[in-house]
Amino acid sequence: MQQLEIRDLVVHYKVPIGTIKTLFDLQLDIEKGDSIGIVGESGSGKSTLGLSIVGLLPPNARVKGHIVFEGKDLLKMQPGKMNGIRGTGIFMIMQDPFNSLNPVKKIKDQLIEALQVRYSRNGEKAQKGKLYDEVLKRLRDVKLPDPEAIMDRYPHQLSGGQIQRVVIAMGLLLEPDILIADEPTSALDVSVQAQIIALIKELQDRYRMSLLFITHDLSIAYAVSEKLLILYGGRILEFGKTEDVINNPAHPYTEGLLKSFPRGNYKDGKLYTLSGMPPLFTSMPDGCVFNPRCPYAFDRCYKEEPELYNYMDKKVRCFLKHD
Amino acid sequence: MIFIVFSLIHIILPSPQAMAKVYIGGSHFTQAEVSAIIVKYGLSKPIYVQFFSYLINILHGNFGIDSLYKVPEMYLLDKFIPITLEFVIIAIIIQVLLGLLTGSVAASWRNRVPDWVIKVLYLIAWAMPVFLLATLLQFVFAYYTKVLPPFNIANPLLVPPKTITGFPLLDAAIEGDWTYFDSVLDHIVLPVLAIAFAGFGITTRIMRASTIDVLDKDYVKLSYMKGLSRWKVFRGTVFRNSMIPIITLTALQFGFAIAGAVVIEEIFIYKGMGFFLYQSTVSLDYIAILSTTLIIGISVIIANFIADILYAVVDPRVRLD
Ligand SMILES: Nc1ncnc2c1ncn2[C@@H]1O[C@H](COP(=O)(O)OP(=O)(O)O)[C@@H](O)[C@H]1O
Ligand SMILES: [Mg+2]
């Protein structure tokens, strides 16, 4: 069943020198229970995609297209109605843990507030004590040591990893249908990263949420997701089952990304690097966005932009995989 | 600070001989009698010795005898300070509320009509000198439309209630003298408005900047993410963070307001400490100038102290360091 449909999504940012087009006609379907990894280099538009789904783009952003959730187009919705979707419908964990909790409120108050949102939407009432116990239980779920003590702390007394767990616990308390995690681990130590990822995966399975996991790290996406979306310059370059994309990359960019990953067989000491830089939104190349860095680029790639073609159960934006 | 004022007054004042002539009977005194007084009060000793003995005395609560009113200075301070404190505190409260409100509105509707209207308002109030603003208020509300009295603390025909705290409104309320209370209320409006208007622009500006800053923070996004309404996010998350700088600012503005009270009280003939300080200055009342300045200084220090405590209460991050 289609849970979320994104159609022709276009996002511009207004800046003093003009407008920056950041997402180009993006299409995406999320089915119930899906876990989709969204992979792209920094600046490819990943956070913009996440924020447009939850309706929290910065004021200088302009959105077009449709984002349909439970039969309603979120982009056509009154701002007040959108509040009713966020939290229990869609919840997003943001990139930077150090700024994501209110510095002047205790952890317990921030979590209880979230839980109250869910209770009031379900038309239930609950005593403080019951709320407290449920929050405590969720803090145990996210494997925070000494949760009672954490409850009485302020955000500045926690580490980045602990804050990220608190935010995940907040997500669990709200029981959202869709959880978006925007690089939840990129600000954390590698050892903590692995724990948080394992945790998100475990919780997704247990609570049957749909997951949109945003990362710049292909190996993390591989570990977490069943479907993989490769984003580049605000466009989908490849989309399909994670196994298919990793084992048979169809787009030259995906191929390059995979080759640049250290794997068992790089004992010769050489590591492939993708040459060139990701495109700037202010100066997009003509034709295919990837042509300046593509080893296979030919005439047509510089003249017209390829569409997202169907290719062996996948979608690929490349002329080589068409005809 | 006391020493600076002490020295400044020494520079401004004529010699003790001349002063003695002015105050203690002018030319009727012989040179010998003047010299005797100078010796008696230690006026020929070096300035630091004089300063030291003054310090010892005020620490004992002895501010000296007022040379104009011929009563202990303490008695006068006791009478005038509460009058000024009362209207300045009310003014500061109104000013802060006004500043918080307009600053929040301006930030929430940034670069739109409410923001522009507020900007024009506070720029006018801010750019205008206090005395002009006060005179204008007096002209419009007292002389032109005659809705409020132009000066005095209360209707002089009424008998003031017994002095308990010294704060006119409070005393009237304690004693249930509502006629007098109403009269004080009528008279306090203009001085309060003058101070509040003159100062609220800075609060607005800082509050606007601080709110814009906070609105951009990820924790505000997360509050929305929980599904809270715009008003709840504003009250529980945005406001509680953006009002923090206003605490320190208000302590600073309290100092400005007390200083501004000198001008305001003069214009509205509101006989509090500012009026007293002004009168003392023009009549070279040495001891009164020193004592009032001292009290003003102390009250500013106390205001800052209270601000520091409040700051720690509101912002948990401060408590650690
Ligand atoms: N508030 C903004 N104003 C202008 N441009 C922005 C803003 N936010 C993001 N962008 C631009 O949009 C592009 C995509 O940003 P983002 O979605 O944050 O990428 P990612 O999360 O993949 O790193 C970047 O090139 C960035 O410069
Ligand atoms: Mg990002």
Side-chain angles (χ1 to χ4, degrees):
Chain A
M1 193 197 108
Q2 228 79 290
Q3 197 169 29
L4 189 86
E5 266 178 67
I6 301 178
R7 290 284 170 271
D8 313 318
L9 182 66
V10 178
V11 179
H12 294 269
Y13 285 109
K14 281 203 161 172
V15 288
I17 51 162
T19 54
I20 302 177
K21 198 170 173 184
T22 305
L23 289 179
F24 294 78
D25 297 314
L26 194 127
Q27 328 281 338
L28 178 66
D29 288 333
I30 301 177
E31 284 165 36
K32 219 171 163 64
D34 255 349
S35 57
I36 302 178
I38 296 177
V39 179
E41 286 163 278
S42 165
S44 55
K46 305 182 298 290
S47 299
T48 304
L49 173 58
L51 291 172
S52 41
I53 297 174
V54 289
L56 289 177
L57 284 167
N60 65 332
R62 300 288 175 273
V63 205
K64 277 187 288 202
H66 308 274
I67 299 181
V68 182
F69 175 73
E70 291 177 342
K72 281 167 282 186
D73 190 342
L74 304 184
L75 297 182
K76 305 260 171 333
M77 217 173 235
Q78 304 277 335
K81 288 264 171 56
M82 192 60 210
N83 294 331
I85 302 282
R86 280 190 289 256
T88 52
I90 310 173
F91 184 79
M92 177 165 164
I93 301 169
M94 274 159 306
Q95 201 163 340
D96 174 15
F98 296 100
N99 267 320
S100 60
L101 290 175
N102 184 351
V104 302
K105 274 193 188 169
K106 284 185 179 171
I107 302 299
K108 116 180 124 185
D109 296 328
Q110 304 196 39
L111 289 175
I112 287 177
E113 192 177 38
L115 187 54
Q116 274 169 333
V117 169
R118 195 190 86 212
Y119 272 113
S120 74
R121 286 200 191 150
N122 295 346
E124 299 168 42
K125 284 218 171 65
Q127 264 101 40
K128 269 267 164 281
K130 187 170 170 241
L131 293 171
Y132 185 91
D133 291 342
E134 189 168 346
V135 168
L136 202 62
K137 194 162 142 251
R138 286 291 175 265
L139 283 182
R140 290 217 174 83
D141 279 351
V142 297
K143 309 200 164 92
L144 267 169
D146 202 0
E148 283 95 346
I150 300 264
M151 295 274 267
D152 274 316
R153 298 232 177 102
Y154 288 95
H156 71 276
Q157 296 165 314
L158 304 185
S159 70
Q162 287 173 322
I163 291 182
Q164 221 51 323
R165 282 170 209 261
V166 168
V167 177
I168 294 172
M170 183 183 288
L172 293 177
L173 288 166
L174 287 158
E175 298 179 358
D177 301 315
I178 301 177
L179 177 68
I180 304 174
D182 185 4
E183 308 205 37
T185 61
S186 48
L188 308 177
D189 294 340
V190 182
S191 57
V192 184
Q193 267 189 22
Q195 295 166 9
I196 299 274
I197 289 163
L199 178 67
I200 291 182
K201 194 64 202 140
E202 184 190 323
L203 295 172
Q204 190 227 341
D205 289 344
R206 186 164 1 143
Y207 295 100
R208 297 176 194 288
M209 302 176 283
S210 307
L211 178 68
L212 219 57
F213 196 98
I214 296 174
T215 174
H216 60 264
D217 188 333
L218 202 52
S219 59
I220 294 181
Y222 178 64
V224 174
S225 64
E226 282 151 20
K227 291 180 188 166
L228 207 54
L229 186 154
I230 310 287
L231 201 63
Y232 184 87
R235 293 156 176 88
I236 298 175
L237 293 193
E238 185 164 353
F239 178 64
K241 291 230 169 62
T242 304
E243 290 293 328
D244 291 348
V245 175
I246 299 288
N247 295 330
N248 297 303
H251 198 281
Y253 176 60
T254 320
E255 197 179 300
L257 275 183
L258 280 164
K259 271 206 261 174
S260 61
F261 261 92
R263 283 200 268 188
N265 60 359
Y266 81 117
K267 293 206 183 66
D268 55 357
K270 283 196 210 125
L271 196 58
Y272 179 87
T273 45
L274 263 170
S275 60
M277 295 281 288
L280 292 171
F281 284 98
T282 42
S283 57
M284 282 287 175
D286 287 339
C288 174
V289 260
F290 188 58
N291 67 32
R293 302 168 79 184
C294 184
Y296 314 113
F298 59 102
D299 289 355
R300 196 178 173 195
C301 304
Y302 295 97
K303 293 203 191 92
E304 50 177 309
E305 163 138 40
E307 286 170 33
L308 200 55
Y309 303 112
N310 286 320
Y311 173 76
M312 294 171 54
D313 294 337
K314 280 190 293 191
K315 292 196 164 120
V316 183
R317 193 183 293 277
C318 182
F319 291 126
L320 290 173
K321 302 299 180 307
H322 185 56
D323 299 332
Chain B
M1 180 198 76
I2 311 170
F3 187 70
I4 293 172
V5 178
F6 197 87
S7 320
L8 276 178
I9 291 174
H10 263 271
I11 295 165
I12 296 167
L13 285 183
S15 70
Q17 282 86 349
M19 286 292 290
K21 279 197 190 127
V22 174
Y23 283 116
I24 320 171
S27 46
H28 304 300
F29 278 84
T30 64
Q31 191 60 40
E33 279 167 317
V34 172
S35 305
I37 289 167
I38 289 173
V39 173
K40 184 179 168 202
Y41 291 109
L43 296 181
S44 57
K45 288 189 189 144
I47 178 172
Y48 60 88
V49 177
Q50 293 186 35
F51 177 66
F52 195 67
S53 59
Y54 176 67
L55 263 192
I56 301 273
N57 275 313
I58 56 173
L59 284 179
H60 288 96
N62 175 8
F63 285 85
I65 306 283
D66 190 272
S67 38
L68 201 61
Y69 293 83
K70 310 284 188 259
V71 289
E73 198 62 53
M74 203 54 199
Y75 169 82
L76 292 171
L77 293 176
D78 213 40
K79 177 165 153 37
F80 291 125
I81 290 170
I83 293 172
T84 298
L85 273 187
E86 184 172 84
F87 91 88
V88 167
I89 288 174
I90 294 175
I92 287 282
I93 291 173
I94 291 179
Q95 170 183 318
V96 169
L97 292 180
L98 199 63
L100 290 176
L101 180 73
T102 51
S104 302
V105 169
S108 304
W109 281 271
R110 180 163 26 148
N111 296 334
R112 278 183 278 164
V113 177
D115 190 14
W116 294 118
V117 171
I118 287 168
K119 190 169 273 174
V120 168
L121 270 182
Y122 82 67
L123 279 179
I124 291 173
W126 195 8
M128 220 187 300
V130 183
F131 68 85
L132 187 61
L133 186 65
T135 320
L136 218 62
L137 282 173
Q138 196 176 41
F139 175 75
V140 172
F141 290 103
Y143 296 121
Y144 192 70
T145 59
K146 294 193 168 53
V147 286
L148 289 166
F151 43 73
N152 281 335
I153 291 176
N155 186 345
L157 300 178
L158 293 173
V159 182
K162 260 203 329 266
T163 306
I164 300 169
T165 60
F167 297 96
L169 274 179
L170 203 57
D171 281 350
I174 290 172
E175 268 156 66
D177 185 348
W178 299 112
T179 335
Y180 193 78
F181 185 88
D182 283 349
S183 176
V184 177
L185 212 54
D186 280 349
H187 287 78
I188 215 170
V189 172
L190 288 180
V192 161
L193 282 186
I195 295 232
F197 271 163
F200 88 99
I202 302 173
T203 314
T204 308
R205 250 184 95 93
I206 303 286
M207 186 61 187
R208 179 182 181 273
S210 160
T211 307
I212 286 174
D213 209 47
V214 170
L215 280 173
D216 227 34
K217 291 271 173 21
D218 272 357
Y219 57 77
V220 175
K221 282 210 184 91
L222 191 75
S223 283
Y224 277 116
M225 211 77 83
K226 288 187 210 176
L228 297 175
S229 65
R230 192 174 172 195
W231 169 241
K232 275 201 175 148
V233 172
F234 185 81
R235 212 184 43 185
T237 307
V238 180
F239 183 77
R240 286 196 43 186
N241 283 283
S242 59
M243 55 81 61
I244 293 174
I246 302 302
I247 296 172
T248 316
L249 178 73
T250 302
L252 280 174
Q253 286 188 294
F254 180 74
F256 289 128
I258 293 264
V262 178
V263 180
I264 301 285
E265 290 185 8
E266 186 57 26
I267 291 171
F268 295 104
I269 319 189
Y270 203 85
K271 291 181 182 161
M273 197 170 55
F275 188 81
F276 177 56
L277 177 59
Y278 177 80
Q279 296 296 313
S280 312
T281 310
V282 287
S283 49
L284 297 178
D285 187 346
Y286 185 110
I287 293 164
I289 299 174
L290 252 184
S291 325
T292 24
T293 319
L294 184 65
I295 295 295
I296 290 175
I298 290 173
S299 57
V300 171
I301 291 170
I302 292 175
N304 275 289
F305 183 69
I306 294 173
D308 283 347
I309 293 173
L310 269 181
Y311 203 85
V313 170
V314 173
D315 190 343
R317 285 163 296 186
V318 184
R319 269 170 248 169
L320 279 188
D321 34 321

